[in-house]
Amino acid sequence: MPQPPLYQVKAEFFRMLGHPVRIRVLELLQGGPLPVRALLADIGVEPSNLSQQLAVLRRSGIVVSTREGPVVLYALAGGDVADLLRSARRILTVLLTDREGLLDQLREPDASAGTPADSDSDAETVAGPGAVSEWGVDEGAEPAVCSVLPEPR
């Protein structure tokens, strides 16, 4: 049977990481091995849910478990996972910083019009509430909310 292409294997790997509980487990395990009870206390999910997520991480090979008497300890299989999480944090920092920069630009005075982009204009005073601007927008209407980040799942 032919092996799948590398990009497909990578996609499966990232899909495996694509659950908030799994990411949180990996973040917690960066500090060293932890028992299930410590993971449960920090993450706050049902034990069965955590067990399922730990099983996925174990099957993938990025988390290992060892038994010390009645306690099962979980640990990262290697330092590469911690490196990946740090890289993801750096990437997200840049992405979110760029978005904050766009928001800052939107808040700056509009140089072409000579008025602040986000301030109230004199349209309401001159034309009265409910007047329609040159763009066909009801000046008295509530502004639409636009999110620059995707909705959480």
Side-chain angles (χ1 to χ4, degrees), residues 125-146:
T125 329
V126 173
V132 176
S133 74
E134 63 187 283
W135 296 295
V137 176
D138 179 352
E139 294 291 340
E142 287 291 320
V145 176
C146 177

Side-chain angles (χ1 to χ4, degrees), residues 24-25 27-29 32-45 47 50 54 71-74:
R24 186 63 185 139
V25 166
E27 288 173 344
L28 292 170
L29 294 179
L34 290 172
V36 174
R37 72 177 177 280
L39 295 170
L40 277 171
D42 188 282
I43 299 172
V45 296
L50 180 59
L54 287 169
V71 176
V72 177
L73 293 173
Y74 286 87

